[in-house]
Amino acid sequence: MNENPLRRTKIVATLGPATDVPGMLERIIAEGVNVVRLNLSHGLPDDHRARANAVRAASAAAGCEVGILADLQGPKIRIETFANGPVELVDGASFVLDCRPDVPPGDATRVGVSYYGLPGDVHAGDVLLLDDGLVALSVQEVAGTEVRCQVLIGGKLSNRKGLNRQGGGLSVTALSDKDKADIKLAAEIGADFLAVSFVRSAEDMHQARRLLHEAGGNAALVAKIERADAIPVLGEIIDASDVVMVARGDLGVEIGDAELPGLQKKIIRESVQRNRAVITATQMLQSMVRSPIPTRAEVLDVANAVIDGTDAVMLSEETAAGAHPDKAVAAMRRICLGAERQFEPKEDLTAGGHMLDRTDQAIALAAMMLAGQLNVRAIVALTESGATAQWLSRYGSAVPIFALSPMADARRRMLLLRDVQPVAFSHEGLTSVATARSAVQQLFAQGHLQEGDRVVLTQGDHVGQGGGTNTLKLLSVGTDGMVESLRDL
């Protein structure tokens, strides 16, 4: 979809049975999806291979690029199954969590737990939350493999619901055996992003990166912040990642709903300051799983994340299993565009906590300062890896950033960067000056620039060299897209 105006904030949509309906994948791409999410918690490897192939084919047919994010299941702790279907837990009743491999199906008095180390992690007085906090248990005592509890908040409980400890503190490792196998799957299908669930430390991200590289993958790593344990070491985790996700489901359960809004803002702010992209996720348009329109509260939720500076917003069940995947994407696009009209460029770009320790970072800051002082139509970044475009996006642009790269994998990774519009561009055989001229002429031909526009262009002296951006130019677009400042060169 050729949007006018260009949307700054990117949209991630989860694939599932609802998007497998013939024609639906094509419709959500047309409505503006930038990156699709493969939830590896559900489905078989062949399901994910088929969906990845379908995305590549559908995006090619639509004449656009769509990134693929593979989301690891992680060691989510779950209860096991019940013998006769869901049970109703009553306030004040006793309930046992049985943590052993041979536990029989449960009933209204007890159920098995997938994490056998739970008895070593909890103590009397701890509060355990089931099914995203809808059911709460108070630990009374630990006896062998049994965690004996009293029901604080009762309700209906069914098979395989999640379990959290209020305040965090469960010591299960971040990467399960299934995750390690799925990392190989992500590398095989050429995923552009790999999300690591329930991250507790920077080492979790380092381990995932090592395993991904060993499998031959080159995806950008996404740290999902969804455990209370991650908050004290948030900065270290962000630095060890390429992208950060505010995964508000389990995080809200562990830290409490009242703390979640402020923490979301903190994660977005620190990610941007540390030059990382950030995704805001979980129940953003939850009512649209069934309804064709969002609630006003959901509209405000998405808009506030956009105004706070998130790079991307994510749809989960709304597109994976909802009744209106395409309408959910369309609603997200409209909300983003509306919120972006409230954009106010930073008055002091040097006040954002950025330390200038790289040449491309200094060029990006200078480009932003120049664009802020002049009537500039666009910033054009000639980039191999996308590093300069990422720095540009961190500073907050009042004009679109067109990132021209010959590298398809780099362009797809830039699809998560706020304000950045990746563009396929070949500079093979061109000098530095000819490359700049050709880039502006291509954007003119594509309708992004008009005669009389001024642009700020960044590039490196040595065309084709990654990380070599060291030049900034102010150019004027002349007749037929010819760069007037370069006409005599």
Side-chain angles (χ1 to χ4, degrees):
M1 171 171 282
N2 185 13
E3 296 173 347
N4 187 21
L6 290 171
R7 175 167 41 86
R8 299 173 179 275
T9 312
K10 306 308 175 71
I11 296 175
V12 182
T14 304
L15 302 188
T19 58
D20 290 341
V21 173
M24 184 56 73
L25 178 60
E26 289 78 5
R27 290 206 292 276
I28 67 170
I29 290 175
E31 290 292 354
V33 166
N34 302 105
V35 175
V36 299
R37 170 178 173 250
L38 304 178
N39 186 355
L40 302 184
S41 299
H42 305 288
L44 300 173
D46 281 347
D47 298 329
H48 302 303
R49 291 187 183 98
R51 286 174 179 152
N53 289 335
V55 169
R56 297 300 189 213
S59 60
C64 65
E65 290 180 307
V66 175
I68 294 175
L69 186 155
D71 194 340
L72 299 177
Q73 173 177 288
K76 187 174 179 71
I77 300 171
R78 299 181 184 273
I79 60 171
E80 298 293 358
T81 60
F82 294 97
N84 298 307
V87 300
E88 189 75 25
L89 300 190
V90 180
D91 292 5
S94 297
F95 193 73
V96 175
L97 299 173
D98 202 344
C99 310
R100 53 192 171 94
D102 56 347
V103 63
D107 55 29
T109 65
R110 63 174 53 231
V111 73
V113 175
S114 62
Y115 174 45
Y116 308 140
L118 183 65
D121 283 351
V122 299
H123 306 87
D126 286 347
V127 175
L128 300 178
L129 303 165
L130 303 173
D131 194 9
D132 289 338
L134 296 179
V135 174
L137 310 175
S138 173
V139 177
Q140 302 299 298
E141 65 172 334
V142 177
T145 63
E146 294 185 352
V147 178
R148 298 171 180 171
C149 305
Q150 183 180 47
V151 179
L152 290 179
I153 301 175
K156 184 178 179 180
L157 190 61
S158 56
N159 296 342
R160 302 291 296 163
K161 292 301 181 183
L163 182 153
N164 299 79
R165 176 182 177 272
Q166 192 172 70
L170 300 181
S171 59
V172 61
T173 57
L175 293 175
S176 66
D177 290 340
K178 172 176 167 52
D179 293 331
K180 293 173 183 178
D182 283 341
I183 287 175
K184 295 179 181 178
L185 174 63
E188 175 196 330
I189 64 177
D192 304 294
F193 305 92
L194 177 71
V196 183
S197 299
F198 301 101
V199 175
R200 298 175 62 206
S201 67
E203 180 52 38
D204 292 339
M205 300 307 296
H206 295 320
Q207 181 187 11
R209 198 179 297 276
R210 286 194 297 269
L211 292 172
L212 178 65
H213 288 169
E214 288 171 5
N218 192 36
L221 256 62
V222 182
K224 294 174 67 177
I225 307 300
E226 51 191 334
R227 303 188 70 167
D229 312 60
I231 305 309
V233 291
L234 179 62
E236 297 173 18
I237 293 173
I238 294 173
D239 288 343
S241 311
D242 303 301
V243 182
V244 176
M245 182 187 294
V246 189
R248 306 182 303 179
D250 285 278
L251 182 61
V253 171
E254 291 204 0
I255 69 170
D257 291 339
E259 302 299 322
L260 189 57
L263 187 55
Q264 173 177 308
K265 292 177 182 291
K266 173 184 172 68
I267 296 170
I268 292 173
R269 182 175 62 252
E270 290 206 17
S271 298
V272 172
Q273 288 178 348
R274 292 174 180 268
N275 190 34
R276 299 297 186 271
V278 56
I279 306 167
T280 304
T282 316
Q283 296 184 336
M284 301 212 79
L285 298 179
Q286 185 67 20
S287 71
M288 292 194 73
V289 172
R290 295 180 177 83
S291 171
I293 59 173
T295 67
R296 295 295 180 266
E298 290 167 341
V299 170
L300 288 169
D301 179 33
V302 173
N304 277 321
V306 171
I307 292 169
D308 285 342
T310 193
D311 288 88
V313 285
M314 192 174 95
L315 295 163
S316 299
E317 188 180 2
E318 302 96 327
T319 51
H324 315 282
D326 52 343
K327 292 181 180 178
V329 176
M332 188 71 91
R333 171 172 49 82
R334 290 194 305 271
I335 297 166
C336 289
L337 286 169
E340 289 162 4
R341 284 193 281 272
Q342 308 305 315
F343 173 81
E344 295 181 2
K346 297 177 183 177
E347 293 185 2
D348 183 2
L349 292 174
T350 63
H354 302 280
M355 299 298 294
L356 295 177
D357 54 5
R358 291 172 50 130
T359 301
D360 54 357
Q361 182 186 7
I363 292 295
L365 177 58
M368 281 298 164
M369 295 179 71
L370 184 59
Q373 297 297 317
L374 299 172
N375 184 22
V376 171
R377 175 66 185 87
I379 297 172
V380 181
L382 298 172
T383 179
E384 293 289 313
S385 65
T388 302
Q390 183 159 341
W391 280 118
L392 287 164
S393 73
R394 298 309 85 188
Y395 288 117
S397 172
V399 297
I401 301 163
F402 293 100
L404 278 62
S405 174
M407 310 297 293
D409 55 348
R411 293 195 303 271
R412 289 196 297 268
R413 285 195 295 269
M414 288 188 280
L415 287 168
L416 272 184
L417 296 176
R418 183 178 175 124
D419 296 326
V420 174
Q421 309 296 327
V423 178
F425 175 74
S426 176
H427 51 64
E428 186 175 359
L430 299 179
T431 64
S432 175
V433 169
T435 297
R437 179 186 292 116
S438 177
V440 172
Q441 288 178 324
Q442 177 174 321
L443 293 175
F444 178 88
Q446 292 172 344
H448 298 303
L449 299 177
Q450 297 178 355
E451 183 177 349
D453 286 343
R454 288 193 292 182
V455 300
V456 172
L457 182 141
T458 67
Q459 67 180 135
D461 286 337
H462 302 288
V463 177
Q465 177 178 307
T469 298
N470 61 2
T471 303
L472 182 152
K473 298 174 181 177
L474 178 63
L475 305 174
S476 180
V477 182
T479 305
D480 296 328
M482 184 62 119
V483 177
E484 293 187 341
S485 301
L486 296 179
R487 193 184 297 274
D488 58 343
L489 297 181

